Amino acid sequence: QVQLVESGGGLVQAGGSLRLSCVASGRAFSTYAMGWFRQAPGKEREIVAAVSWSGRTTYYADSVKGRFTISRDNAKKTVYLRMNSLIPEDTAVYYCAAERYLGERLDIKFGSWGQGPQITVSS
């Protein structure tokens, strides 16, 4: 397993942007699929975006398509989530997740999780 530490959360006005970072410790980061999930108050956790180990395949929830971008830098063992045009409905705790998987499917079960920074979007 890897240890994941997120940063970049905070308070932002609607229409603004934020970038979340997730740094992984441990070896073989490049063999892990990475994902970002979020959980809003009173709601279940949902996937926001994911990227395969190779970076060739990405997935986005319909609610964030065109606004969010996931990317990874294997040399820095870091995955990013760039969030643009934020809306109040994006308010949630955001979790970074990892799973060692050398395929291109992203409907996998992630086994390692970060602590989760809070993102609050004010209207």
Side-chain angles (χ1 to χ4, degrees):
Q1 286 191 335
V2 292
Q3 303 296 318
L4 303 172
V5 178
E6 303 106 326
S7 61
L11 173 66
V12 64
Q13 288 189 332
S17 298
L18 283 175
R19 188 180 77 162
L20 297 179
S21 300
C22 172
V23 180
S25 63
R27 302 172 65 180
F29 173 78
S30 61
T31 66
Y32 282 77
M34 301 298 296
W36 287 97
F37 291 71
R38 69 185 181 187
Q39 187 167 18
K43 295 187 177 180
E44 294 187 354
R45 186 171 61 190
E46 63 176 356
I47 187 168
V48 175
V51 60
S52 64
W53 70 279
S54 68
R56 291 196 299 268
T57 305
T58 56
Y59 167 85
Y60 295 95
D62 288 343
S63 59
V64 306
K65 280 182 183 176
R67 301 189 297 120
F68 291 12
T69 303
I70 189 170
S71 60
R72 65 187 299 158
D73 184 335
N74 288 341
K76 295 182 178 180
K77 299 183 180 181
T78 301
V79 64
Y80 304 97
L81 184 69
R82 177 68 180 180
M83 304 181 290
N84 295 328
S85 302
L86 285 159
I87 59 178
E89 289 75 14
D90 295 319
T91 295
V93 176
Y94 282 70
Y95 298 93
C96 176
E99 181 64 23
R100 191 169 191 182
Y101 178 66
L102 291 173
E104 293 300 315
R105 290 178 55 186
L106 292 172
D107 56 342
I108 59 175
K109 182 177 181 181
F110 289 84
S112 298
W113 295 86
Q115 294 290 329
Q118 172 73 43
I119 303 293
T120 302
V121 183
S122 63
S123 58

